[in-house]
Amino acid sequence: MSIAENIAEIRKNVEEARKKSPNPEQPVTIVAVTKTRTPEQLNEVLAAGQSILGENRVQELMDKYDAVNQGAVWHIIGHLQSNKVKYIADKVVLVHSLESESLAKELNQRMQALGHPMDCLVQVNIADEESKFGLAKEEVVPFLEMVSKMPGIHVRGLMNIAPFFEDTEQVRPIFREMYQLFQELKEKQIPGIDMEILSMGMSHDYQVAVEEGANMIRVGRSMFA
Ligand SMILES: *Cc1c(COP(=O)(O)O)cnc(C)c1O
């Protein structure tokens, strides 16, 4: 199948899943994950009307940034080292992986110098896997309170990278717990913090994620296979 056909299929699946979600009227944003893909492939993605691209490697983003056609809107979706912030601060519109004080401080400084805040999602590690990045659930509120005071950072929601399960039903409770946390934080109305975006779900489990309340999904393999 072509990239355009894959994207059409993903959109259709998202629409189906959305009907079962806790918030069926809410649109779902698809992020095309660009790691290992060529600029030619990404231009095909753009031509299919999919303009949001998410890269998790700073170097790859730098390499592709000028090579893809105009109209691309870039997100950083993977672990971001503080010392790499300077390369992407003026290139991306959303950081999915805010999860440490040092990264927050660096982003805050860089963005204040640029004169506008960076939209960020706070990465939460609900399955508590030692190998992965992200805050534990109980760390989230204090972290939000800290970053809410940083003028260079605008938190817009949460992001989760779930463990891989062959049987996607096994990931459902994790997505459900993320959605509950997202709702709780929304109700808390922490000043300066917005809870609008819940980024979770990848190629093999995005339908389950949308059914459980994700309104942003990050899809790589199934777009290019
Ligand atoms: C690679 C990656 C994805 C997409 O994974 P696929 O299985 O290719 O859809 C999503 N999010 C992050 C953070 C990734 O690194």
mmCIF file of all heavy atoms in Angstrom, residues 41-70:
data_model
loop_
_atom_site.group_PDB
_atom_site.id
_atom_site.type_symbol
_atom_site.label_atom_id
_atom_site.label_comp_id
_atom_site.label_asym_id
_atom_site.label_seq_id
_atom_site.Cartn_x
_atom_site.Cartn_y
_atom_site.Cartn_z
ATOM 1 N N GLN A 41 9.951 10.321 1.609
ATOM 2 C CA GLN A 41 8.778 9.694 2.239
ATOM 3 C C GLN A 41 7.939 10.735 2.976
ATOM 4 O O GLN A 41 6.713 10.707 2.928
ATOM 5 C CB GLN A 41 9.221 8.604 3.225
ATOM 6 C CG GLN A 41 9.729 7.340 2.560
ATOM 7 C CD GLN A 41 10.233 6.347 3.600
ATOM 8 O OE1 GLN A 41 11.111 6.680 4.403
ATOM 9 N NE2 GLN A 41 9.688 5.145 3.606
ATOM 10 N N LEU A 42 8.621 11.657 3.635
ATOM 11 C CA LEU A 42 7.891 12.661 4.418
ATOM 12 C C LEU A 42 7.146 13.628 3.504
ATOM 13 O O LEU A 42 6.052 14.092 3.847
ATOM 14 C CB LEU A 42 8.839 13.393 5.362
ATOM 15 C CG LEU A 42 9.563 12.453 6.343
ATOM 16 C CD1 LEU A 42 10.431 13.252 7.295
ATOM 17 C CD2 LEU A 42 8.573 11.585 7.112
ATOM 18 N N ASN A 43 7.697 13.894 2.340
ATOM 19 C CA ASN A 43 6.972 14.735 1.391
ATOM 20 C C ASN A 43 5.715 14.032 0.888
ATOM 21 O O ASN A 43 4.703 14.679 0.618
ATOM 22 C CB ASN A 43 7.884 15.149 0.238
ATOM 23 C CG ASN A 43 8.863 16.228 0.676
ATOM 24 O OD1 ASN A 43 8.593 16.987 1.605
ATOM 25 N ND2 ASN A 43 10.016 16.295 0.015
ATOM 26 N N GLU A 44 5.761 12.715 0.794
ATOM 27 C CA GLU A 44 4.544 11.961 0.447
ATOM 28 C C GLU A 44 3.500 12.087 1.550
ATOM 29 O O GLU A 44 2.300 12.188 1.277
ATOM 30 C CB GLU A 44 4.866 10.470 0.259
ATOM 31 C CG GLU A 44 5.339 10.097 -1.131
ATOM 32 C CD GLU A 44 5.440 8.578 -1.277
ATOM 33 O OE1 GLU A 44 4.408 7.888 -1.152
ATOM 34 O OE2 GLU A 44 6.567 8.096 -1.486
ATOM 35 N N VAL A 45 3.975 12.058 2.786
ATOM 36 C CA VAL A 45 3.069 12.228 3.930
ATOM 37 C C VAL A 45 2.387 13.597 3.847
ATOM 38 O O VAL A 45 1.162 13.713 3.984
ATOM 39 C CB VAL A 45 3.856 12.076 5.261
ATOM 40 C CG1 VAL A 45 3.033 12.526 6.447
ATOM 41 C CG2 VAL A 45 4.304 10.627 5.443
ATOM 42 N N LEU A 46 3.180 14.613 3.590
ATOM 43 C CA LEU A 46 2.627 15.976 3.489
ATOM 44 C C LEU A 46 1.629 16.066 2.339
ATOM 45 O O LEU A 46 0.568 16.685 2.473
ATOM 46 C CB LEU A 46 3.750 16.994 3.277
ATOM 47 C CG LEU A 46 4.751 17.181 4.422
ATOM 48 C CD1 LEU A 46 5.841 18.161 4.004
ATOM 49 C CD2 LEU A 46 4.060 17.680 5.687
ATOM 50 N N ALA A 47 1.967 15.437 1.226
ATOM 51 C CA ALA A 47 1.084 15.480 0.050
ATOM 52 C C ALA A 47 -0.259 14.820 0.351
ATOM 53 O O ALA A 47 -1.273 15.153 -0.267
ATOM 54 C CB ALA A 47 1.766 14.811 -1.146
ATOM 55 N N ALA A 48 -0.270 13.895 1.295
ATOM 56 C CA ALA A 48 -1.531 13.237 1.677
ATOM 57 C C ALA A 48 -2.307 14.066 2.704
ATOM 58 O O ALA A 48 -3.301 13.596 3.257
ATOM 59 C CB ALA A 48 -1.242 11.840 2.231
ATOM 60 N N GLY A 49 -1.847 15.287 2.970
ATOM 61 C CA GLY A 49 -2.576 16.178 3.867
ATOM 62 C C GLY A 49 -2.260 15.950 5.335
ATOM 63 O O GLY A 49 -2.968 16.444 6.216
ATOM 64 N N GLN A 50 -1.214 15.193 5.598
ATOM 65 C CA GLN A 50 -0.807 14.924 6.983
ATOM 66 C C GLN A 50 0.398 15.814 7.285
ATOM 67 O O GLN A 50 1.513 15.510 6.879
ATOM 68 C CB GLN A 50 -0.453 13.429 7.114
ATOM 69 C CG GLN A 50 0.286 13.044 8.373
ATOM 70 C CD GLN A 50 -0.501 13.263 9.653
ATOM 71 O OE1 GLN A 50 -1.680 12.956 9.736
ATOM 72 N NE2 GLN A 50 0.149 13.822 10.649
ATOM 73 N N SER A 51 0.143 16.934 7.976
ATOM 74 C CA SER A 51 1.218 17.930 8.083
ATOM 75 C C SER A 51 1.984 17.879 9.398
ATOM 76 O O SER A 51 3.061 18.462 9.506
ATOM 77 C CB SER A 51 0.646 19.331 7.883
ATOM 78 O OG SER A 51 -0.363 19.557 8.826
ATOM 79 N N ILE A 52 1.459 17.186 10.394
ATOM 80 C CA ILE A 52 2.172 17.134 11.685
ATOM 81 C C ILE A 52 3.133 15.957 11.694
ATOM 82 O O ILE A 52 2.732 14.801 11.498
ATOM 83 C CB ILE A 52 1.198 17.050 12.863
ATOM 84 C CG1 ILE A 52 0.264 18.265 12.833
ATOM 85 C CG2 ILE A 52 1.954 16.996 14.189
ATOM 86 C CD1 ILE A 52 -0.749 18.300 13.943
ATOM 87 N N LEU A 53 4.407 16.273 11.882
ATOM 88 C CA LEU A 53 5.472 15.279 11.879
ATOM 89 C C LEU A 53 6.108 15.248 13.268
ATOM 90 O O LEU A 53 6.361 16.304 13.861
ATOM 91 C CB LEU A 53 6.537 15.639 10.841
ATOM 92 C CG LEU A 53 6.067 15.898 9.399
ATOM 93 C CD1 LEU A 53 7.271 16.231 8.505
ATOM 94 C CD2 LEU A 53 5.301 14.711 8.826
ATOM 95 N N GLY A 54 6.383 14.060 13.773
ATOM 96 C CA GLY A 54 7.007 13.932 15.087
ATOM 97 C C GLY A 54 8.305 13.156 14.994
ATOM 98 O O GLY A 54 8.323 12.035 14.487
ATOM 99 N N GLU A 55 9.374 13.770 15.441
ATOM 100 C CA GLU A 55 10.685 13.101 15.392
ATOM 101 C C GLU A 55 11.164 12.870 16.809
ATOM 102 O O GLU A 55 10.927 13.686 17.681
ATOM 103 C CB GLU A 55 11.667 13.977 14.607
ATOM 104 C CG GLU A 55 13.082 13.445 14.519
ATOM 105 C CD GLU A 55 13.197 12.041 13.946
ATOM 106 O OE1 GLU A 55 12.892 11.846 12.750
ATOM 107 O OE2 GLU A 55 13.594 11.122 14.698
ATOM 108 N N ASN A 56 11.836 11.741 17.038
ATOM 109 C CA ASN A 56 12.352 11.566 18.393
ATOM 110 C C ASN A 56 13.865 11.679 18.482
ATOM 111 O O ASN A 56 14.420 11.538 19.567
ATOM 112 C CB ASN A 56 11.828 10.290 19.057
ATOM 113 C CG ASN A 56 12.165 9.057 18.277
ATOM 114 O OD1 ASN A 56 12.585 9.153 17.130
ATOM 115 N ND2 ASN A 56 11.996 7.908 18.879
ATOM 116 N N ARG A 57 14.509 11.945 17.384
ATOM 117 C CA ARG A 57 15.958 12.139 17.455
ATOM 118 C C ARG A 57 16.302 13.523 16.926
ATOM 119 O O ARG A 57 15.998 13.863 15.777
ATOM 120 C CB ARG A 57 16.665 11.077 16.627
ATOM 121 C CG ARG A 57 16.392 9.684 17.172
ATOM 122 C CD ARG A 57 16.937 8.602 16.293
ATOM 123 N NE ARG A 57 16.523 7.286 16.800
ATOM 124 C CZ ARG A 57 16.380 6.200 16.055
ATOM 125 N NH1 ARG A 57 16.644 6.254 14.760
ATOM 126 N NH2 ARG A 57 15.991 5.078 16.587
ATOM 127 N N VAL A 58 16.963 14.297 17.759
ATOM 128 C CA VAL A 58 17.266 15.686 17.398
ATOM 129 C C VAL A 58 18.100 15.744 16.116
ATOM 130 O O VAL A 58 17.825 16.540 15.219
ATOM 131 C CB VAL A 58 17.981 16.402 18.569
ATOM 132 C CG1 VAL A 58 18.573 17.724 18.126
ATOM 133 C CG2 VAL A 58 17.004 16.605 19.716
ATOM 134 N N GLN A 59 19.097 14.869 16.019
ATOM 135 C CA GLN A 59 19.947 14.903 14.834
ATOM 136 C C GLN A 59 19.151 14.636 13.559
ATOM 137 O O GLN A 59 19.333 15.305 12.539
ATOM 138 C CB GLN A 59 21.091 13.886 14.972
ATOM 139 C CG GLN A 59 22.132 13.965 13.851
ATOM 140 C CD GLN A 59 22.780 15.350 13.769
ATOM 141 O OE1 GLN A 59 23.251 15.876 14.759
ATOM 142 N NE2 GLN A 59 22.772 15.958 12.581
ATOM 143 N N GLU A 60 18.246 13.677 13.620
ATOM 144 C CA GLU A 60 17.429 13.371 12.437
ATOM 145 C C GLU A 60 16.518 14.536 12.088
ATOM 146 O O GLU A 60 16.300 14.843 10.915
ATOM 147 C CB GLU A 60 16.583 12.116 12.679
ATOM 148 C CG GLU A 60 17.357 10.834 12.486
ATOM 149 C CD GLU A 60 16.443 9.644 12.173
ATOM 150 O OE1 GLU A 60 15.516 9.787 11.361
ATOM 151 O OE2 GLU A 60 16.659 8.594 12.781
ATOM 152 N N LEU A 61 15.990 15.191 13.112
ATOM 153 C CA LEU A 61 15.142 16.351 12.844
ATOM 154 C C LEU A 61 15.938 17.435 12.114
ATOM 155 O O LEU A 61 15.469 18.013 11.139
ATOM 156 C CB LEU A 61 14.548 16.884 14.144
ATOM 157 C CG LEU A 61 13.410 17.891 13.991
ATOM 158 C CD1 LEU A 61 12.442 17.775 15.150
ATOM 159 C CD2 LEU A 61 13.885 19.325 13.886
ATOM 160 N N MET A 62 17.155 17.655 12.598
ATOM 161 C CA MET A 62 18.012 18.662 11.973
ATOM 162 C C MET A 62 18.285 18.309 10.510
ATOM 163 O O MET A 62 18.264 19.163 9.631
ATOM 164 C CB MET A 62 19.365 18.740 12.692
ATOM 165 C CG MET A 62 19.280 18.999 14.172
ATOM 166 S SD MET A 62 18.744 20.650 14.501
ATOM 167 C CE MET A 62 20.203 21.519 13.963
ATOM 168 N N ASP A 63 18.557 17.017 10.273
ATOM 169 C CA ASP A 63 18.887 16.576 8.914
ATOM 170 C C ASP A 63 17.703 16.741 7.966
ATOM 171 O O ASP A 63 17.868 17.029 6.791
ATOM 172 C CB ASP A 63 19.310 15.092 8.918
ATOM 173 C CG ASP A 63 20.628 14.888 9.649
ATOM 174 O OD1 ASP A 63 21.344 15.890 9.873
ATOM 175 O OD2 ASP A 63 20.931 13.735 10.016
ATOM 176 N N LYS A 64 16.495 16.506 8.470
ATOM 177 C CA LYS A 64 15.320 16.489 7.591
ATOM 178 C C LYS A 64 14.623 17.837 7.492
ATOM 179 O O LYS A 64 13.877 18.085 6.547
ATOM 180 C CB LYS A 64 14.301 15.466 8.110
ATOM 181 C CG LYS A 64 14.757 14.033 7.963
ATOM 182 C CD LYS A 64 13.875 13.101 8.777
ATOM 183 C CE LYS A 64 14.597 11.785 9.006
ATOM 184 N NZ LYS A 64 13.894 10.938 9.971
ATOM 185 N N TYR A 65 14.856 18.674 8.485
ATOM 186 C CA TYR A 65 14.072 19.903 8.630
ATOM 187 C C TYR A 65 14.035 20.734 7.343
ATOM 188 O O TYR A 65 12.965 21.150 6.890
ATOM 189 C CB TYR A 65 14.628 20.732 9.786
ATOM 190 C CG TYR A 65 13.796 21.937 10.130
ATOM 191 C CD1 TYR A 65 12.622 21.809 10.859
ATOM 192 C CD2 TYR A 65 14.184 23.209 9.721
ATOM 193 C CE1 TYR A 65 11.856 22.905 11.176
ATOM 194 C CE2 TYR A 65 13.412 24.318 10.035
ATOM 195 C CZ TYR A 65 12.252 24.160 10.763
ATOM 196 O OH TYR A 65 11.498 25.255 11.066
ATOM 197 N N ASP A 66 15.180 20.944 6.741
ATOM 198 C CA ASP A 66 15.211 21.767 5.531
ATOM 199 C C ASP A 66 14.892 20.977 4.269
ATOM 200 O O ASP A 66 14.607 21.557 3.232
ATOM 201 C CB ASP A 66 16.588 22.431 5.390
ATOM 202 C CG ASP A 66 16.781 23.523 6.424
ATOM 203 O OD1 ASP A 66 15.798 24.240 6.702
ATOM 204 O OD2 ASP A 66 17.896 23.645 6.961
ATOM 205 N N ALA A 67 14.964 19.660 4.376
ATOM 206 C CA ALA A 67 14.775 18.835 3.182
ATOM 207 C C ALA A 67 13.310 18.522 2.887
ATOM 208 O O ALA A 67 12.975 18.123 1.780
ATOM 209 C CB ALA A 67 15.559 17.534 3.321
ATOM 210 N N VAL A 68 12.445 18.690 3.880
ATOM 211 C CA VAL A 68 11.030 18.427 3.583
ATOM 212 C C VAL A 68 10.333 19.719 3.153
ATOM 213 O O VAL A 68 10.763 20.819 3.487
ATOM 214 C CB VAL A 68 10.255 17.759 4.749
ATOM 215 C CG1 VAL A 68 10.910 16.464 5.178
ATOM 216 C CG2 VAL A 68 10.091 18.702 5.909
ATOM 217 N N ASN A 69 9.259 19.525 2.406
ATOM 218 C CA ASN A 69 8.552 20.662 1.830
ATOM 219 C C ASN A 69 7.942 21.554 2.899
ATOM 220 O O ASN A 69 7.754 21.140 4.040
ATOM 221 C CB ASN A 69 7.444 20.161 0.895
ATOM 222 C CG ASN A 69 8.018 19.489 -0.336
ATOM 223 O OD1 ASN A 69 9.172 19.722 -0.703
ATOM 224 N ND2 ASN A 69 7.215 18.655 -0.964
ATOM 225 N N GLN A 70 7.607 22.756 2.481
ATOM 226 C CA GLN A 70 6.955 23.697 3.385
ATOM 227 C C GLN A 70 5.607 23.144 3.823
ATOM 228 O O GLN A 70 4.996 22.353 3.109
ATOM 229 C CB GLN A 70 6.755 25.028 2.684
ATOM 230 C CG GLN A 70 8.041 25.845 2.695
ATOM 231 C CD GLN A 70 7.787 27.277 2.265
ATOM 232 O OE1 GLN A 70 6.719 27.597 1.760
ATOM 233 N NE2 GLN A 70 8.763 28.117 2.465
#
